Amino acid sequence: MSETPRRNIDIARLRAHHLTMCRIRALEEAALRGLGDKVVLGAIHPSIGQEAVAAGVVGALRRDDILLSTHRGHGHTLAKGASSEAMLRELFGRVGGNCGGKGGSMHIADFEVGMLGANGVVGANIVIAAGAAHAIKLKGEDKVVCCIFGDGAINRGPFLEGLNWAAVFGLPVLFVCEDNGFAATTRTASMTAGGGPAVRARAIGLPAEEVDGNDVLAVEDTAQAMIAAIRAGGGPRFLHAKTYRLTGHTGVDTAPYRPADEVAARKREEPILRAADLLRGAGVAEAEIEADRIAAEAEMSAAYDAAIAAPFPGPEAAFLDVQDVGSPALGAF
Amino acid sequence: MARISYMEAARQALAEEMRRDPLVWAVGEDLGRGGVFGQYRGLVEEFGSARISDAPISEAAILGASVGAAMMGTRPVVEMRFSDFALCAVDELVNQAAKARFMFGGQTRVPMVVREPIGMWRSSAAQHSQSLESWYAHIPGLVVACPATPADNKGMLKSAIRCDDPVVYMEHKNLWPLEDEVPDGEHLVPFGVARTLREGRDVTIVSWSAQVHVCARAAETLAQHRIEAEVIDLRTLWPWDQETVLASVSRTGRLLIAHEAVQVGGFGAEIAAVTAEWLGAKVRRLGAPRAPIGYAPTVEDAVRVTEAATVAAVREMVGR
Ligand SMILES: Cc1ncc(C[n+]2csc(CCOP(=O)(O)OP(=O)(O)O)c2C)c(N)n1
Ligand SMILES: [Mg+2]
């Protein structure tokens, strides 16, 4: 892991990340509450404990840069600038959700903030990201595409195909492997051969770095340097961020397949605590640190209330946005 | 006989076949912890991790490697988790598994079972809800099985494992908890033999998988309108039991095929066409509109083939 020297901590920057991470945490907790209240309808995959990857990587992007995410994408999407209320509406399947209530947690997209979609199919976003970067290159723009995927995704074919494509065409894309140690109930290491994601990326010719994914400043510093090199025309780069999934795979998974003391130990290293410790060490008052959490919780609580008050889309939404040519209802009841 | 769930029936079937034949093995993501729905619970403890094998998230390799392992004489049961993810391995299934025997002039067989759970289930949205059985019915070389009951999920899975052809085995996710009587031990349901679950003289309703239960309820309601519907669970789409369906329609004179999958190009079209060709009978299909499946319950329900729609379609056909 790259040990980033911390001579002078930029307190404002760290504060901003701390707030972003608190907002992500509070959003995930609101989503879990929604699951308990049976207003979240489908499966959710919480990113609790992984917030530094979202805050650090996405924080290093410009607003007009492009992001592709996964089934575990709430944090990435919020960090990119999506509205928390629209996200909760989507999770609740309501009008005013990012996708009009038609996608749900695993398909949240917000094209207005350059978020091209979560994905229900592991690894599918990797080749799509390469294509998005291909378009940017064709159009001569200076945007960068950031594609986040899990450690499990590197065992799918599109990983090889997408990285090779980006390298061959010299495309502006940052691939980020958000490694939380698990692919559903499986310890990813038990099903992954070789030296891991960065080694594979290097073998395809992409400069690759590993970073402590619970250290938000290290994540941001590393991502920022890579994004600058990509924007300067240097071609694709690869970032392997190591973190830990503190919850089960889904909101209902109690994760009985791993020991409680492992989780407890990892809880002590979680990114929000670490950022708060750094802030304290830099002289930021406890009340200010606490204010971030309180503000985040207030935001999500208000968003929750607004979202449950929103109506479901009408049945006609089933037939909207299917395709231009031909009626979807043709020949059906 | 014991009252067990649809899921437990399949678990029993696999365990019995694995005890009977040491060349039967299962492979897929998360199997060592029971599989994503719990269909494999307890099996790794009995059979070990070589025969209840975990896999990387590598659908193409899971299916493709199983083709190789099947050609070498083992009998893989391939877990694809959702039929939607099996699309990541369509080449391996359609170009390789289905065709190896024919292309190679009969030198090999590909005895594998590809489990692909289908269907709408708890707001799972567009990439986790599809019913794609008709795709595979279109492919020469494949068997397509869609069990509707716990007993069939036992008897058909056992037959699938013993079958020397590649079998696309589609369980419906909404049926996992469904309980019913299931015969103990050696219970084999042959492929291509439909099950008539209700007799009637006015109309024949053909369906499969979870939709069978919707049709059964519709038939109850129709009886209140003095319409006696014969309900047939097709069980397998390939081979499909033309004899039973045609015999029934030649008595009733009317055929309705109902399925959860999209109506356009669905397997209902094949059954309707064959019946019209042979009997010139009145045929009608009920399937989903040609739209992806949405997340919000209102949107999800809008593409569901309901009991009410089934009753209405039959009443229109019968004219009362
Ligand atoms: C192609 C495909 N196979 C299987 C799945 C089922 N599935 C959903 S999430 C998941 C685990 C993914 O692990 P990883 O890539 O590490 O992401 P994480 O869930 O840890 O964020 C699996 C196997 C899927 N969605 N798509
Ligand atoms: Mg993971």
Side-chain angles (χ1 to χ4, degrees), chain B residues 235-268:
Chain B
R235 287 175 158 159
T236 48
L237 301 197
W238 197 267
W240 72 276
D241 188 350
Q242 299 195 7
E243 210 177 295
T244 297
V245 173
L246 293 179
S248 171
V249 180
S250 53
R251 272 183 276 109
T252 61
R254 303 181 184 93
L255 171 65
L256 173 75
I257 309 109
H259 54 66
E260 181 177 320
V262 167
Q263 176 167 314
V264 176
F267 200 69

PDB file of all heavy atoms in Angstrom, chain B residues 235-268:
ATOM      1  N   ARG B 235     -44.888 -28.739 -18.008  1.00  0.00           N
ATOM      2  CA  ARG B 235     -43.669 -29.239 -17.347  1.00  0.00           C
ATOM      3  C   ARG B 235     -42.392 -29.005 -18.149  1.00  0.00           C
ATOM      4  O   ARG B 235     -41.452 -28.427 -17.641  1.00  0.00           O
ATOM      5  CB  ARG B 235     -43.757 -30.722 -17.035  1.00  0.00           C
ATOM      6  CG  ARG B 235     -44.679 -31.068 -15.898  1.00  0.00           C
ATOM      7  CD  ARG B 235     -44.733 -32.560 -15.822  1.00  0.00           C
ATOM      8  NE  ARG B 235     -45.133 -33.083 -14.544  1.00  0.00           N
ATOM      9  CZ  ARG B 235     -45.624 -34.315 -14.417  1.00  0.00           C
ATOM     10  NH1 ARG B 235     -45.748 -35.095 -15.463  1.00  0.00           N
ATOM     11  NH2 ARG B 235     -45.944 -34.756 -13.236  1.00  0.00           N
ATOM     12  N   THR B 236     -42.312 -29.534 -19.366  1.00  0.00           N
ATOM     13  CA  THR B 236     -41.126 -29.270 -20.189  1.00  0.00           C
ATOM     14  C   THR B 236     -41.572 -28.615 -21.490  1.00  0.00           C
ATOM     15  O   THR B 236     -42.590 -29.005 -22.079  1.00  0.00           O
ATOM     16  CB  THR B 236     -40.353 -30.565 -20.513  1.00  0.00           C
ATOM     17  OG1 THR B 236     -41.255 -31.558 -20.982  1.00  0.00           O
ATOM     18  CG2 THR B 236     -39.628 -31.090 -19.298  1.00  0.00           C
ATOM     19  N   LEU B 237     -40.801 -27.608 -21.926  1.00  0.00           N
ATOM     20  CA  LEU B 237     -41.099 -26.939 -23.194  1.00  0.00           C
ATOM     21  C   LEU B 237     -40.454 -27.695 -24.347  1.00  0.00           C
ATOM     22  O   LEU B 237     -40.937 -27.670 -25.461  1.00  0.00           O
ATOM     23  CB  LEU B 237     -40.585 -25.502 -23.194  1.00  0.00           C
ATOM     24  CG  LEU B 237     -41.115 -24.563 -22.116  1.00  0.00           C
ATOM     25  CD1 LEU B 237     -40.842 -23.133 -22.508  1.00  0.00           C
ATOM     26  CD2 LEU B 237     -42.584 -24.770 -21.863  1.00  0.00           C
ATOM     27  N   TRP B 238     -39.303 -28.288 -24.067  1.00  0.00           N
ATOM     28  CA  TRP B 238     -38.747 -29.213 -25.042  1.00  0.00           C
ATOM     29  C   TRP B 238     -38.244 -30.431 -24.331  1.00  0.00           C
ATOM     30  O   TRP B 238     -37.358 -30.305 -23.523  1.00  0.00           O
ATOM     31  CB  TRP B 238     -37.635 -28.588 -25.907  1.00  0.00           C
ATOM     32  CG  TRP B 238     -37.475 -29.489 -27.081  1.00  0.00           C
ATOM     33  CD1 TRP B 238     -36.598 -30.529 -27.208  1.00  0.00           C
ATOM     34  CD2 TRP B 238     -38.305 -29.510 -28.240  1.00  0.00           C
ATOM     35  NE1 TRP B 238     -36.837 -31.193 -28.376  1.00  0.00           N
ATOM     36  CE2 TRP B 238     -37.880 -30.590 -29.041  1.00  0.00           C
ATOM     37  CE3 TRP B 238     -39.385 -28.730 -28.663  1.00  0.00           C
ATOM     38  CZ2 TRP B 238     -38.482 -30.896 -30.253  1.00  0.00           C
ATOM     39  CZ3 TRP B 238     -39.967 -29.030 -29.870  1.00  0.00           C
ATOM     40  CH2 TRP B 238     -39.510 -30.105 -30.658  1.00  0.00           C
ATOM     41  N   PRO B 239     -38.778 -31.595 -24.599  1.00  0.00           N
ATOM     42  CA  PRO B 239     -39.874 -31.831 -25.531  1.00  0.00           C
ATOM     43  C   PRO B 239     -41.203 -31.401 -24.913  1.00  0.00           C
ATOM     44  O   PRO B 239     -41.354 -31.456 -23.693  1.00  0.00           O
ATOM     45  CB  PRO B 239     -39.842 -33.354 -25.697  1.00  0.00           C
ATOM     46  CG  PRO B 239     -39.258 -33.856 -24.409  1.00  0.00           C
ATOM     47  CD  PRO B 239     -38.306 -32.822 -23.936  1.00  0.00           C
ATOM     48  N   TRP B 240     -42.150 -30.983 -25.739  1.00  0.00           N
ATOM     49  CA  TRP B 240     -43.464 -30.644 -25.158  1.00  0.00           C
ATOM     50  C   TRP B 240     -44.500 -31.661 -25.602  1.00  0.00           C
ATOM     51  O   TRP B 240     -44.418 -32.223 -26.684  1.00  0.00           O
ATOM     52  CB  TRP B 240     -43.859 -29.218 -25.438  1.00  0.00           C
ATOM     53  CG  TRP B 240     -44.271 -28.819 -26.828  1.00  0.00           C
ATOM     54  CD1 TRP B 240     -43.434 -28.470 -27.838  1.00  0.00           C
ATOM     55  CD2 TRP B 240     -45.613 -28.661 -27.329  1.00  0.00           C
ATOM     56  NE1 TRP B 240     -44.161 -28.114 -28.938  1.00  0.00           N
ATOM     57  CE2 TRP B 240     -45.509 -28.217 -28.660  1.00  0.00           C
ATOM     58  CE3 TRP B 240     -46.892 -28.839 -26.781  1.00  0.00           C
ATOM     59  CZ2 TRP B 240     -46.617 -27.963 -29.455  1.00  0.00           C
ATOM     60  CZ3 TRP B 240     -47.996 -28.577 -27.574  1.00  0.00           C
ATOM     61  CH2 TRP B 240     -47.856 -28.141 -28.893  1.00  0.00           C
ATOM     62  N   ASP B 241     -45.453 -31.864 -24.715  1.00  0.00           N
ATOM     63  CA  ASP B 241     -46.389 -32.973 -24.848  1.00  0.00           C
ATOM     64  C   ASP B 241     -47.540 -32.590 -25.787  1.00  0.00           C
ATOM     65  O   ASP B 241     -48.634 -32.242 -25.348  1.00  0.00           O
ATOM     66  CB  ASP B 241     -46.904 -33.344 -23.449  1.00  0.00           C
ATOM     67  CG  ASP B 241     -47.739 -34.606 -23.443  1.00  0.00           C
ATOM     68  OD1 ASP B 241     -48.084 -35.095 -24.544  1.00  0.00           O
ATOM     69  OD2 ASP B 241     -48.049 -35.088 -22.342  1.00  0.00           O
ATOM     70  N   GLN B 242     -47.285 -32.701 -27.084  1.00  0.00           N
ATOM     71  CA  GLN B 242     -48.306 -32.344 -28.080  1.00  0.00           C
ATOM     72  C   GLN B 242     -49.524 -33.254 -27.954  1.00  0.00           C
ATOM     73  O   GLN B 242     -50.660 -32.808 -28.129  1.00  0.00           O
ATOM     74  CB  GLN B 242     -47.725 -32.486 -29.492  1.00  0.00           C
ATOM     75  CG  GLN B 242     -46.540 -31.584 -29.736  1.00  0.00           C
ATOM     76  CD  GLN B 242     -46.207 -31.462 -31.219  1.00  0.00           C
ATOM     77  OE1 GLN B 242     -46.918 -31.943 -32.082  1.00  0.00           O
ATOM     78  NE2 GLN B 242     -45.106 -30.780 -31.512  1.00  0.00           N
ATOM     79  N   GLU B 243     -49.245 -34.505 -27.658  1.00  0.00           N
ATOM     80  CA  GLU B 243     -50.327 -35.480 -27.611  1.00  0.00           C
ATOM     81  C   GLU B 243     -51.396 -35.091 -26.585  1.00  0.00           C
ATOM     82  O   GLU B 243     -52.585 -35.066 -26.887  1.00  0.00           O
ATOM     83  CB  GLU B 243     -49.716 -36.829 -27.240  1.00  0.00           C
ATOM     84  CG  GLU B 243     -50.440 -38.015 -27.809  1.00  0.00           C
ATOM     85  CD  GLU B 243     -49.685 -39.290 -27.438  1.00  0.00           C
ATOM     86  OE1 GLU B 243     -48.536 -39.446 -27.904  1.00  0.00           O
ATOM     87  OE2 GLU B 243     -50.240 -40.085 -26.661  1.00  0.00           O
ATOM     88  N   THR B 244     -50.929 -34.781 -25.377  1.00  0.00           N
ATOM     89  CA  THR B 244     -51.878 -34.419 -24.321  1.00  0.00           C
ATOM     90  C   THR B 244     -52.622 -33.134 -24.666  1.00  0.00           C
ATOM     91  O   THR B 244     -53.838 -33.035 -24.491  1.00  0.00           O
ATOM     92  CB  THR B 244     -51.132 -34.273 -22.976  1.00  0.00           C
ATOM     93  OG1 THR B 244     -50.573 -35.544 -22.644  1.00  0.00           O
ATOM     94  CG2 THR B 244     -52.052 -33.813 -21.863  1.00  0.00           C
ATOM     95  N   VAL B 245     -51.885 -32.159 -25.174  1.00  0.00           N
ATOM     96  CA  VAL B 245     -52.522 -30.874 -25.481  1.00  0.00           C
ATOM     97  C   VAL B 245     -53.525 -31.050 -26.624  1.00  0.00           C
ATOM     98  O   VAL B 245     -54.677 -30.604 -26.530  1.00  0.00           O
ATOM     99  CB  VAL B 245     -51.459 -29.806 -25.837  1.00  0.00           C
ATOM    100  CG1 VAL B 245     -52.129 -28.513 -26.328  1.00  0.00           C
ATOM    101  CG2 VAL B 245     -50.581 -29.503 -24.617  1.00  0.00           C
ATOM    102  N   LEU B 246     -53.123 -31.723 -27.678  1.00  0.00           N
ATOM    103  CA  LEU B 246     -54.028 -31.868 -28.827  1.00  0.00           C
ATOM    104  C   LEU B 246     -55.252 -32.711 -28.475  1.00  0.00           C
ATOM    105  O   LEU B 246     -56.372 -32.402 -28.897  1.00  0.00           O
ATOM    106  CB  LEU B 246     -53.281 -32.464 -30.028  1.00  0.00           C
ATOM    107  CG  LEU B 246     -52.183 -31.559 -30.633  1.00  0.00           C
ATOM    108  CD1 LEU B 246     -51.488 -32.260 -31.796  1.00  0.00           C
ATOM    109  CD2 LEU B 246     -52.742 -30.216 -31.081  1.00  0.00           C
ATOM    110  N   ALA B 247     -55.027 -33.750 -27.666  1.00  0.00           N
ATOM    111  CA  ALA B 247     -56.170 -34.581 -27.264  1.00  0.00           C
ATOM    112  C   ALA B 247     -57.161 -33.751 -26.459  1.00  0.00           C
ATOM    113  O   ALA B 247     -58.386 -33.853 -26.641  1.00  0.00           O
ATOM    114  CB  ALA B 247     -55.689 -35.780 -26.451  1.00  0.00           C
ATOM    115  N   SER B 248     -56.648 -32.916 -25.592  1.00  0.00           N
ATOM    116  CA  SER B 248     -57.522 -32.092 -24.762  1.00  0.00           C
ATOM    117  C   SER B 248     -58.281 -31.081 -25.631  1.00  0.00           C
ATOM    118  O   SER B 248     -59.505 -30.936 -25.507  1.00  0.00           O
ATOM    119  CB  SER B 248     -56.696 -31.370 -23.696  1.00  0.00           C
ATOM    120  OG  SER B 248     -57.488 -30.426 -23.025  1.00  0.00           O
ATOM    121  N   VAL B 249     -57.559 -30.412 -26.522  1.00  0.00           N
ATOM    122  CA  VAL B 249     -58.218 -29.376 -27.336  1.00  0.00           C
ATOM    123  C   VAL B 249     -59.214 -30.013 -28.307  1.00  0.00           C
ATOM    124  O   VAL B 249     -60.238 -29.410 -28.635  1.00  0.00           O
ATOM    125  CB  VAL B 249     -57.172 -28.507 -28.085  1.00  0.00           C
ATOM    126  CG1 VAL B 249     -57.862 -27.430 -28.919  1.00  0.00           C
ATOM    127  CG2 VAL B 249     -56.221 -27.854 -27.090  1.00  0.00           C
ATOM    128  N   SER B 250     -58.935 -31.242 -28.733  1.00  0.00           N
ATOM    129  CA  SER B 250     -59.924 -31.841 -29.641  1.00  0.00           C
ATOM    130  C   SER B 250     -61.217 -32.139 -28.896  1.00  0.00           C
ATOM    131  O   SER B 250     -62.282 -32.209 -29.496  1.00  0.00           O
ATOM    132  CB  SER B 250     -59.358 -33.076 -30.359  1.00  0.00           C
ATOM    133  OG  SER B 250     -58.854 -33.968 -29.420  1.00  0.00           O
ATOM    134  N   ARG B 251     -61.163 -32.234 -27.577  1.00  0.00           N
ATOM    135  CA  ARG B 251     -62.395 -32.373 -26.797  1.00  0.00           C
ATOM    136  C   ARG B 251     -63.030 -31.019 -26.501  1.00  0.00           C
ATOM    137  O   ARG B 251     -64.229 -30.850 -26.588  1.00  0.00           O
ATOM    138  CB  ARG B 251     -62.089 -33.093 -25.474  1.00  0.00           C
ATOM    139  CG  ARG B 251     -62.174 -34.619 -25.581  1.00  0.00           C
ATOM    140  CD  ARG B 251     -61.935 -35.295 -24.237  1.00  0.00           C
ATOM    141  NE  ARG B 251     -60.505 -35.472 -23.965  1.00  0.00           N
ATOM    142  CZ  ARG B 251     -59.806 -34.808 -23.063  1.00  0.00           C
ATOM    143  NH1 ARG B 251     -60.406 -33.913 -22.297  1.00  0.00           N
ATOM    144  NH2 ARG B 251     -58.529 -35.032 -22.908  1.00  0.00           N
ATOM    145  N   THR B 252     -62.193 -30.038 -26.111  1.00  0.00           N
ATOM    146  CA  THR B 252     -62.752 -28.750 -25.666  1.00  0.00           C
ATOM    147  C   THR B 252     -62.983 -27.779 -26.822  1.00  0.00           C
ATOM    148  O   THR B 252     -63.819 -26.888 -26.727  1.00  0.00           O
ATOM    149  CB  THR B 252     -61.805 -28.066 -24.663  1.00  0.00           C
ATOM    150  OG1 THR B 252     -60.550 -27.815 -25.325  1.00  0.00           O
ATOM    151  CG2 THR B 252     -61.551 -28.944 -23.446  1.00  0.00           C
ATOM    152  N   GLY B 253     -62.198 -27.905 -27.872  1.00  0.00           N
ATOM    153  CA  GLY B 253     -62.348 -27.005 -29.022  1.00  0.00           C
ATOM    154  C   GLY B 253     -61.721 -25.638 -28.844  1.00  0.00           C
ATOM    155  O   GLY B 253     -61.713 -24.823 -29.762  1.00  0.00           O
ATOM    156  N   ARG B 254     -61.202 -25.356 -27.657  1.00  0.00           N
ATOM    157  CA  ARG B 254     -60.615 -24.032 -27.401  1.00  0.00           C
ATOM    158  C   ARG B 254     -59.326 -24.190 -26.602  1.00  0.00           C
ATOM    159  O   ARG B 254     -59.248 -25.011 -25.689  1.00  0.00           O
ATOM    160  CB  ARG B 254     -61.564 -23.157 -26.573  1.00  0.00           C
ATOM    161  CG  ARG B 254     -62.923 -22.942 -27.170  1.00  0.00           C
ATOM    162  CD  ARG B 254     -63.737 -22.047 -26.241  1.00  0.00           C
ATOM    163  NE  ARG B 254     -65.109 -21.885 -26.733  1.00  0.00           N
ATOM    164  CZ  ARG B 254     -66.124 -22.647 -26.356  1.00  0.00           C
ATOM    165  NH1 ARG B 254     -65.944 -23.615 -25.466  1.00  0.00           N
ATOM    166  NH2 ARG B 254     -67.330 -22.438 -26.840  1.00  0.00           N
ATOM    167  N   LEU B 255     -58.358 -23.339 -26.954  1.00  0.00           N
ATOM    168  CA  LEU B 255     -57.070 -23.394 -26.241  1.00  0.00           C
ATOM    169  C   LEU B 255     -56.605 -22.000 -25.842  1.00  0.00           C
ATOM    170  O   LEU B 255     -56.525 -21.096 -26.669  1.00  0.00           O
ATOM    171  CB  LEU B 255     -55.997 -24.029 -27.143  1.00  0.00           C
ATOM    172  CG  LEU B 255     -54.560 -23.963 -26.618  1.00  0.00           C
ATOM    173  CD1 LEU B 255     -54.390 -24.780 -25.339  1.00  0.00           C
ATOM    174  CD2 LEU B 255     -53.567 -24.436 -27.680  1.00  0.00           C
ATOM    175  N   LEU B 256     -56.284 -21.855 -24.559  1.00  0.00           N
ATOM    176  CA  LEU B 256     -55.613 -20.640 -24.084  1.00  0.00           C
ATOM    177  C   LEU B 256     -54.259 -21.055 -23.529  1.00  0.00           C
ATOM    178  O   LEU B 256     -54.190 -21.971 -22.707  1.00  0.00           O
ATOM    179  CB  LEU B 256     -56.428 -19.958 -22.969  1.00  0.00           C
ATOM    180  CG  LEU B 256     -55.711 -18.773 -22.308  1.00  0.00           C
ATOM    181  CD1 LEU B 256     -55.719 -17.541 -23.197  1.00  0.00           C
ATOM    182  CD2 LEU B 256     -56.333 -18.434 -20.959  1.00  0.00           C
ATOM    183  N   ILE B 257     -53.200 -20.385 -23.968  1.00  0.00           N
ATOM    184  CA  ILE B 257     -51.879 -20.632 -23.388  1.00  0.00           C
ATOM    185  C   ILE B 257     -51.513 -19.381 -22.593  1.00  0.00           C
ATOM    186  O   ILE B 257     -51.597 -18.264 -23.109  1.00  0.00           O
ATOM    187  CB  ILE B 257     -50.796 -20.878 -24.454  1.00  0.00           C
ATOM    188  CG1 ILE B 257     -51.241 -21.955 -25.436  1.00  0.00           C
ATOM    189  CG2 ILE B 257     -49.493 -21.286 -23.797  1.00  0.00           C
ATOM    190  CD1 ILE B 257     -51.567 -21.417 -26.796  1.00  0.00           C
ATOM    191  N   ALA B 258     -51.128 -19.575 -21.322  1.00  0.00           N
ATOM    192  CA  ALA B 258     -50.780 -18.433 -20.478  1.00  0.00           C
ATOM    193  C   ALA B 258     -49.362 -18.608 -19.960  1.00  0.00           C
ATOM    194  O   ALA B 258     -49.016 -19.672 -19.452  1.00  0.00           O
ATOM    195  CB  ALA B 258     -51.755 -18.320 -19.311  1.00  0.00           C
ATOM    196  N   HIS B 259     -48.536 -17.599 -20.131  1.00  0.00           N
ATOM    197  CA  HIS B 259     -47.196 -17.660 -19.540  1.00  0.00           C
ATOM    198  C   HIS B 259     -46.739 -16.297 -19.046  1.00  0.00           C
ATOM    199  O   HIS B 259     -47.205 -15.260 -19.515  1.00  0.00           O
ATOM    200  CB  HIS B 259     -46.177 -18.285 -20.490  1.00  0.00           C
ATOM    201  CG  HIS B 259     -46.063 -17.665 -21.858  1.00  0.00           C
ATOM    202  ND1 HIS B 259     -45.605 -16.381 -22.059  1.00  0.00           N
ATOM    203  CD2 HIS B 259     -46.309 -18.185 -23.081  1.00  0.00           C
ATOM    204  CE1 HIS B 259     -45.574 -16.140 -23.373  1.00  0.00           C
ATOM    205  NE2 HIS B 259     -46.009 -17.205 -24.010  1.00  0.00           N
ATOM    206  N   GLU B 260     -45.819 -16.326 -18.073  1.00  0.00           N
ATOM    207  CA  GLU B 260     -45.309 -15.095 -17.472  1.00  0.00           C
ATOM    208  C   GLU B 260     -44.385 -14.351 -18.427  1.00  0.00           C
ATOM    209  O   GLU B 260     -44.255 -13.130 -18.371  1.00  0.00           O
ATOM    210  CB  GLU B 260     -44.560 -15.446 -16.170  1.00  0.00           C
ATOM    211  CG  GLU B 260     -44.010 -14.236 -15.444  1.00  0.00           C
ATOM    212  CD  GLU B 260     -43.332 -14.586 -14.122  1.00  0.00           C
ATOM    213  OE1 GLU B 260     -43.846 -15.453 -13.379  1.00  0.00           O
ATOM    214  OE2 GLU B 260     -42.292 -13.974 -13.824  1.00  0.00           O
ATOM    215  N   ALA B 261     -43.722 -15.089 -19.310  1.00  0.00           N
ATOM    216  CA  ALA B 261     -42.763 -14.483 -20.231  1.00  0.00           C
ATOM    217  C   ALA B 261     -43.466 -13.562 -21.222  1.00  0.00           C
ATOM    218  O   ALA B 261     -44.683 -13.630 -21.413  1.00  0.00           O
ATOM    219  CB  ALA B 261     -42.026 -15.586 -20.997  1.00  0.00           C
ATOM    220  N   VAL B 262     -42.673 -12.724 -21.851  1.00  0.00           N
ATOM    221  CA  VAL B 262     -43.186 -11.833 -22.889  1.00  0.00           C
ATOM    222  C   VAL B 262     -43.946 -12.661 -23.931  1.00  0.00           C
ATOM    223  O   VAL B 262     -43.502 -13.726 -24.347  1.00  0.00           O
ATOM    224  CB  VAL B 262     -42.006 -11.069 -23.545  1.00  0.00           C
ATOM    225  CG1 VAL B 262     -42.440 -10.380 -24.841  1.00  0.00           C
ATOM    226  CG2 VAL B 262     -41.434 -10.049 -22.563  1.00  0.00           C
ATOM    227  N   GLN B 263     -45.109 -12.137 -24.321  1.00  0.00           N
ATOM    228  CA  GLN B 263     -45.955 -12.888 -25.258  1.00  0.00           C
ATOM    229  C   GLN B 263     -45.339 -12.980 -26.655  1.00  0.00           C
ATOM    230  O   GLN B 263     -45.397 -14.034 -27.291  1.00  0.00           O
ATOM    231  CB  GLN B 263     -47.327 -12.219 -25.336  1.00  0.00           C
ATOM    232  CG  GLN B 263     -48.233 -12.885 -26.350  1.00  0.00           C
ATOM    233  CD  GLN B 263     -49.670 -12.434 -26.197  1.00  0.00           C
ATOM    234  OE1 GLN B 263     -50.199 -12.390 -25.088  1.00  0.00           O
ATOM    235  NE2 GLN B 263     -50.293 -12.086 -27.303  1.00  0.00           N
ATOM    236  N   VAL B 264     -44.769 -11.864 -27.115  1.00  0.00           N
ATOM    237  CA  VAL B 264     -44.220 -11.837 -28.473  1.00  0.00           C
ATOM    238  C   VAL B 264     -43.062 -12.831 -28.572  1.00  0.00           C
ATOM    239  O   VAL B 264     -42.080 -12.734 -27.838  1.00  0.00           O
ATOM    240  CB  VAL B 264     -43.727 -10.425 -28.834  1.00  0.00           C
ATOM    241  CG1 VAL B 264     -43.064 -10.417 -30.208  1.00  0.00           C
ATOM    242  CG2 VAL B 264     -44.876  -9.426 -28.788  1.00  0.00           C
ATOM    243  N   GLY B 265     -43.204 -13.788 -29.459  1.00  0.00           N
ATOM    244  CA  GLY B 265     -42.138 -14.773 -29.615  1.00  0.00           C
ATOM    245  C   GLY B 265     -42.040 -15.742 -28.452  1.00  0.00           C
ATOM    246  O   GLY B 265     -41.058 -16.473 -28.335  1.00  0.00           O
ATOM    247  N   GLY B 266     -43.038 -15.755 -27.581  1.00  0.00           N
ATOM    248  CA  GLY B 266     -43.021 -16.678 -26.442  1.00  0.00           C
ATOM    249  C   GLY B 266     -43.365 -18.092 -26.885  1.00  0.00           C
ATOM    250  O   GLY B 266     -43.800 -18.311 -28.023  1.00  0.00           O
ATOM    251  N   PHE B 267     -43.221 -19.055 -25.971  1.00  0.00           N
ATOM    252  CA  PHE B 267     -43.471 -20.437 -26.377  1.00  0.00           C
ATOM    253  C   PHE B 267     -44.960 -20.693 -26.603  1.00  0.00           C
ATOM    254  O   PHE B 267     -45.340 -21.630 -27.298  1.00  0.00           O
ATOM    255  CB  PHE B 267     -42.886 -21.432 -25.373  1.00  0.00           C
ATOM    256  CG  PHE B 267     -42.703 -22.786 -25.976  1.00  0.00           C
ATOM    257  CD1 PHE B 267     -41.746 -22.993 -26.956  1.00  0.00           C
ATOM    258  CD2 PHE B 267     -43.517 -23.854 -25.611  1.00  0.00           C
ATOM    259  CE1 PHE B 267     -41.594 -24.237 -27.557  1.00  0.00           C
ATOM    260  CE2 PHE B 267     -43.370 -25.106 -26.196  1.00  0.00           C
ATOM    261  CZ  PHE B 267     -42.402 -25.295 -27.180  1.00  0.00           C
ATOM    262  N   GLY B 268     -45.799 -19.827 -26.079  1.00  0.00           N
ATOM    263  CA  GLY B 268     -47.231 -19.933 -26.345  1.00  0.00           C
ATOM    264  C   GLY B 268     -47.531 -19.878 -27.834  1.00  0.00           C
ATOM    265  O   GLY B 268     -48.464 -20.537 -28.320  1.00  0.00           O
TER     266      GLY B 268
END
